[in-house]
Amino acid sequence: MDVDLMILQERCRKDPLSYEDDFVSQRRHFDALLSAANLRPSDANPRLAEVASFMGSVAHCYGNEGIAIATDITTFLGEYGQAMNPELRRSLVRLLCLLRARGTADPTTVIPLFFRLLSCNDKVLRRMLHGHIVSDVKKIQNSGDSSRKVLQTFLFSMVQDPSETLVKRSLHVLVDLFRKRIWNDPKCANMIATACFHEAMPVAIIASRFILNSESKENTEDWDDESDEEGLSTARKTIDGQKASDMWKAYNMTGKKSTRKKKKMERVINRLTRVKSSAHSRAISESNPGHPSLEAMMLINDPQEFTERLFKDLQTRRKRESYENRLIFVNLISRLVGTHELILFSFYPFLQRYLQPAQPEVTRVLAYLTQACHDKVPSDVLHPILRGLADTFVSERSSPPSVAAGINTIRAICSRVPLAILDEENECKAEREQESALLEDLVQYKTSKDKGIMMAARSLISLYREVHPGLLQKKDRGRAGAEAVQKGRESHAKAYGTHLYAIGVEGIELLNEADSEGDQDEMDSDADSKPQPESAENDEQVEDLHKDDDVVDGGAESEEERSCEVDERKEDTQEDDEKGEKESGNRLDAMQILSNEDFERIRLRRAAKAIGESARVLNAGEAVNPDDLQGPVRRERRTLEERMESVLKGREGREKFGKRAEKGGGSTNKQKLKKKSNAMVIHKRRRKNKQLSRRDKQLAKRRKRDYR
């Protein structure tokens, strides 16, 4: 800015009335420059930029002059904004942002203008406009201004604009507003979701990726207010998982320590940490509704219709798109099906055509198939998919990585729908009669020499040891599975259409287990103090009944038969009394109020119990990492070019190789050896001569003779 304008600007701020005439003259000069710029807007006009900066700095000191100046700038940018010189356009936009910050410009006219300017081919300007729109909308939202509804209607209408570039810029703004928790209501989420059906593929990809990744890492860093900290603390308390400190405490409470137990406990801690991270985000979203963790996906209106429409577009309009873009929509559909537990039976045969080992990105397709499985899907729909995976991936002609990926995918699907491994005939049978030929074939790979295949097969065995040990052979059931089969509890898998309701506090039965002998003695004393069932009265009632029977039968039965019947009835009544006592007496949550110490004991005992359990995946609705479905990948030997590239990369920044600098500070060992006396080294020479061959001795004598 000119020095004179800077001095005048400072004086107008200090004493506006004394320099009002100078301001009026500069205002006339500004109007003249603006009229001249209307004739040739593409020319650079540095004088107009300087005067515009001066007017924006002091206009608030002279009443309504700021409103008039904002109106003139808005009109000028609206007419010639696309064809203006970039430097001049940025200067006028800064002036308008300054007037808007001081409240002299109307947001209902400024923000629509900024949205139209987002289509300009100026990256610096677009970044400036994006930041101002987001901050201005946030300020309006917090202030409760009545113009917020008008702005929201305008921003939502921009998504339907025919200009592809403008729609993309508008979507970026709306996504940023949602992730920064400014507009994270269902209306905004559904408006962004409608862009998934836009004709332009880049627009649809932006909306789809937003729904898939609405949770941003940057959002968690912005939680600095007290309410968010309280939400985080309550979320950590409500997570139904063990902490690492609890795991170590439970480990120290056990018996003999060993490296094997320690490694096993560390694996359990890592597994619980992975499950806890997903539960943590879910608990945070429940305790803090403003957190955008998967909120966009959860706020979609009528997800069944939305998913069906997406799938129809994928089969019709999007069928000629690139394979990578189609996979994005497949991922979105599978996440919607798994999260909302939707019914879309035609989606699984659609994915089956891509389930080939030679298919590009086949591990991603396998992960998307796993995401779309939940307990609302009938097992007869998924069984052909599992059979196809076994025939395609798990076969003798397949490579070891393909076999490992196939078994891992089958295990991941069966963890969500355990009965999918059964065909229709075996599913209709009783639990003791059920058998799965497919499972028996897959279990045979537990003795494979390939590590990935062996680990995949054993993970499948571990899964069915917990959910349905009766399907495994006797040698594969393990100790817990064999005990469950003996006690008649072959299956813990939930059949299709059944619902399991929680009765009381989960894990309340662990309070009855004793930690030490003292606890056992206390429990025994408590059991002794409990009132015993009145067995004498029952015996008297049974004897009275038999007496009546004897009178009626005329004494036809012998005394031995009557005594046997009495004993049988006594046993039945005692069993009934014991069952009733267990149902009523062992339910501590039904008899008394649990304290915080009781809940802490439950957590510790669940942590101790989890050390011995196998890794079981039951995270329906969560995203599946394709790398988890692959076995351990062996690192292939690098080629000569790759190794030389790594060597040259390591030499960068170092001095060139050459002759080493002579070492100073003393003589070398070779020089010191020459100065030693003959008596000190003669034994070494003799030993060396003994080790020489005959030919070497002849050559040594010849060299000695020639030297002389």
Side-chain angles (χ1 to χ4, degrees):
M1 186 184 293
D2 191 3
V3 178
D4 296 337
L5 281 178
M6 293 178 65
I7 296 173
L8 181 61
Q9 175 180 331
E10 183 180 358
R11 292 177 179 177
C12 288
R13 287 180 176 178
K14 292 181 179 179
D15 192 1
L17 296 178
S18 301
Y19 295 93
E20 186 176 1
D21 296 338
D22 296 331
F23 173 77
V24 172
S25 62
Q26 291 296 331
R27 173 61 196 277
R28 293 173 182 171
H29 185 44
F30 175 74
D31 293 340
L33 292 174
L34 201 62
S35 300
N38 288 335
L39 301 177
R40 302 185 65 180
S42 60
D43 293 347
N45 198 338
R47 184 60 182 174
L48 177 59
E50 293 178 358
V51 177
S53 178
F54 168 78
M55 299 301 295
S57 301
V58 301
H60 64 283
C61 301
Y62 296 96
N64 296 329
E65 287 295 331
I67 300 176
I69 294 173
T71 303
D72 296 340
I73 297 297
T74 304
T75 304
F76 181 71
L77 288 174
E79 293 180 359
Y80 308 105
Q82 299 289 340
M84 287 179 62
N85 180 268
E87 294 293 336
L88 178 61
R89 183 170 52 202
R90 293 173 200 162
S91 300
L92 295 181
V93 168
R94 290 193 193 97
L95 170 61
L96 206 54
C97 292
L98 181 61
L99 294 175
R100 176 69 197 99
R102 289 175 175 170
T104 56
D106 188 11
T108 56
T109 57
V110 173
I111 293 181
L113 171 65
F114 286 171
F115 261 94
R116 288 192 292 272
L117 292 178
L118 283 173
S119 59
C120 296
N121 191 14
D122 189 351
K123 189 174 182 179
V124 178
L125 177 67
R126 291 198 302 268
R127 189 182 297 111
M128 183 195 310
L129 293 173
H130 181 91
H132 176 76
I133 291 172
V134 173
S135 60
D136 199 7
V137 171
K138 182 178 181 180
K139 188 185 300 182
I140 294 172
Q141 187 74 12
N142 295 335
S143 63
D145 193 358
S146 59
S147 59
R148 59 186 180 185
K149 293 184 179 180
V150 179
L151 290 176
Q152 198 172 31
T153 304
F154 170 75
L155 263 67
F156 291 164
S157 64
M158 297 302 294
V159 181
Q160 309 296 335
D161 196 87
S163 175
E164 178 183 344
T165 305
L166 192 56
V167 173
K168 289 169 61 178
R169 310 296 182 205
S170 304
L171 276 179
H172 285 306
V173 173
L174 289 175
V175 168
D176 203 4
L177 289 172
F178 187 92
R179 286 182 172 172
K180 290 186 176 181
R181 300 186 296 158
I182 300 172
W183 285 352
N184 54 351
D185 53 347
K187 187 176 181 182
C188 183
N190 284 275
M191 185 53 63
I192 299 175
T194 56
C196 295
F197 308 105
H198 199 276
E199 295 182 357
M201 193 64 183
V203 176
I205 289 176
I206 292 173
S208 301
R209 285 178 174 170
F210 162 71
I211 298 175
L212 288 170
N213 304 314
S214 59
E215 181 181 4
S216 177
K217 295 181 180 179
E218 300 176 356
N219 299 326
T220 57
E221 298 175 359
D222 297 337
W223 291 6
D224 53 356
D225 52 341
E226 296 179 357
S227 61
D228 295 331
E229 291 179 359
E230 293 177 359
L232 279 170
S233 61
T234 55
R236 293 191 184 99
K237 293 178 182 178
T238 55
I239 292 173
D240 191 16
Q242 289 76 29
K243 298 180 181 179
S245 59
D246 297 338
M247 299 296 294
W248 282 107
K249 189 175 180 180
Y251 170 71
N252 293 327
M253 289 166 54
T254 56
K256 185 178 179 181
K257 308 298 183 296
S258 64
T259 306
R260 182 180 179 185
K261 288 184 178 180
K262 185 177 179 181
K263 290 182 179 180
K264 189 174 183 180
M265 187 209 56
E266 290 176 352
R267 289 196 299 268
V268 174
I269 288 178
N270 294 333
R271 174 171 56 87
L272 291 177
T273 304
R274 291 194 299 268
V275 177
K276 185 177 178 180
S277 60
S278 60
H280 179 62
S281 61
R282 195 182 306 112
I284 289 177
S285 61
E286 293 176 358
S287 60
N288 191 350
H291 183 66
S293 173
L294 291 180
E295 195 168 345
M297 188 175 294
M298 300 302 297
L299 294 177
I300 292 178
N301 296 331
D302 197 355
Q304 180 72 37
E305 182 182 357
F306 181 81
T307 308
E308 290 178 355
R309 187 179 173 189
L310 268 179
F311 184 53
K312 184 178 180 181
D313 281 356
L314 182 63
Q315 291 178 309
T316 55
R317 286 197 307 166
R318 313 289 188 189
K319 64 181 181 180
R320 297 189 181 277
E321 298 291 341
S322 63
Y323 180 66
E324 183 66 26
N325 293 338
R326 287 166 60 84
L327 283 182
I328 296 175
F329 288 96
V330 171
N331 187 14
L332 178 58
I333 294 171
S334 65
R335 289 293 302 278
L336 287 169
V337 170
T339 302
H340 295 278
E341 296 184 348
L342 306 178
I343 303 300
L344 195 64
F345 294 155
S346 57
F347 181 65
Y348 305 100
F350 173 79
L351 290 181
Q352 194 170 6
R353 71 180 72 173
Y354 298 102
L355 299 180
Q356 300 293 332
Q359 179 72 29
E361 301 291 341
V362 67
T363 52
R364 291 174 58 184
V365 180
L366 294 174
Y368 301 156
L369 172 63
T370 307
Q371 289 173 175
C373 298
H374 52 87
D375 54 1
K376 301 296 188 300
V377 181
S379 56
D380 55 352
V381 175
L382 295 177
H383 184 75
I385 307 295
L386 298 184
R387 175 59 67 180
L389 285 173
D391 296 340
T392 307
F393 287 85
V394 190
S395 62
E396 296 179 355
R397 60 182 180 275
S398 300
S399 60
S402 299
V403 177
I407 298 178
N408 284 328
T409 306
I410 293 174
R411 188 256 307 158
I413 295 175
C414 292
S415 65
R416 290 162 170 79
V417 189
L419 298 181
I421 201 81
L422 297 173
D423 52 8
E424 295 182 1
E425 296 180 358
N426 285 285
E427 189 179 0
C428 299
K429 295 180 181 179
E431 290 184 359
R432 290 184 175 274
E433 300 177 358
Q434 289 178 350
E435 56 183 9
S436 176
L438 177 59
L439 182 59
E440 292 180 3
D441 294 341
L442 296 176
V443 166
Q444 300 302 321
Y445 286 93
K446 66 181 180 180
T447 58
S448 176
K449 295 181 180 180
D450 187 80
K451 184 177 180 181
I453 299 175
M454 180 265 295
M455 293 174 60
R458 292 188 178 183
S459 65
L460 185 63
I461 295 174
S462 301
L463 172 67
Y464 275 94
R465 280 180 179 177
E466 296 183 19
V467 298
H468 204 322
L471 293 180
L472 297 171
Q473 294 181 0
K474 188 175 181 179
K475 60 181 180 180
D476 297 327
R477 291 172 184 172
R479 181 180 299 177
E483 292 178 357
V485 173
Q486 289 178 0
K487 295 179 181 179
R489 300 193 303 268
E490 289 87 356
S491 174
H492 296 280
K494 187 168 60 173
Y496 178 71
T498 60
H499 297 276
L500 300 179
Y501 299 97
I503 301 176
V505 179
E506 185 178 0
I508 191 65
E509 68 279 356
L510 297 177
L511 284 179
N512 294 332
E513 298 178 1
D515 286 336
S516 60
E517 295 180 358
D519 294 340
Q520 185 67 36
D521 295 338
E522 292 178 0
M523 294 181 65
D524 294 339
S525 62
D526 295 339
D528 295 337
S529 61
K530 289 182 180 179
Q532 298 296 330
E534 299 177 358
S535 58
E537 296 181 0
N538 295 331
D539 296 342
E540 293 177 358
Q541 293 177 2
V542 172
E543 290 177 0
D544 294 339
L545 290 174
H546 278 281
K547 288 180 180 179
D548 296 338
D549 294 337
D550 294 341
V551 172
V552 174
D553 296 339
E557 296 182 355
S558 63
E559 295 181 358
E560 294 179 357
E561 294 177 352
R562 287 198 299 267
S563 62
C564 292
E565 291 180 359
V566 170
D567 293 338
E568 291 177 359
R569 295 186 182 183
K570 284 182 181 179
E571 292 176 359
D572 295 337
T573 53
Q574 288 178 1
E575 290 178 359
D576 296 338
D577 293 339
E578 289 177 359
K579 290 181 180 179
E581 184 182 356
K582 288 182 179 180
E583 292 177 357
S584 60
N586 292 344
R587 283 274 312 278
L588 296 180
D589 54 346
M591 304 298 295
Q592 63 183 15
I593 298 176
L594 301 180
S595 61
N596 294 332
E597 290 77 9
D598 295 333
F599 285 105
E600 186 66 21
R601 290 172 64 190
I602 292 174
R603 287 182 56 189
L604 288 175
R605 293 180 181 179
R606 292 185 66 185
K609 188 177 180 181
I611 295 177
E613 293 179 353
S614 60
R616 181 181 174 190
V617 182
L618 285 177
N619 50 353
E622 299 293 335
V624 178
N625 188 4
D627 296 335
D628 296 340
L629 301 179
Q630 295 179 347
V633 181
R634 180 177 296 178
R635 188 174 181 180
E636 298 180 357
R637 180 176 175 84
R638 295 181 298 176
T639 60
L640 178 61
E641 292 77 10
E642 294 175 348
R643 282 180 283 167
M644 289 302 301
E645 182 181 358
S646 177
V647 170
L648 295 176
K649 186 177 180 180
R651 292 180 181 178
E652 294 179 357
R654 297 193 308 183
E655 297 181 359
K656 292 184 178 180
F657 291 93
K659 186 177 180 180
R660 294 183 179 180
E662 293 184 0
K663 181 182 178 182
S667 60
T668 63
N669 292 334
K670 189 175 182 180
Q671 294 173 351
K672 293 177 182 178
L673 184 62
K674 292 181 179 180
K675 295 181 181 179
K676 289 184 177 181
S677 62
N678 189 32
M680 296 177 64
V681 296
I682 191 172
H683 62 283
K684 292 185 179 180
R685 292 177 182 173
R686 290 174 180 174
R687 184 167 61 250
K688 185 176 180 181
N689 291 334
K690 290 181 180 180
Q691 296 175 355
L692 294 176
S693 63
R694 184 178 180 183
R695 177 61 179 167
D696 293 337
K697 291 180 181 180
Q698 291 177 353
L699 293 175
K701 290 180 180 180
R702 186 179 300 174
R703 286 194 298 268
K704 187 176 181 180
R705 185 180 63 249
D706 296 341
Y707 177 74
R708 290 177 179 175

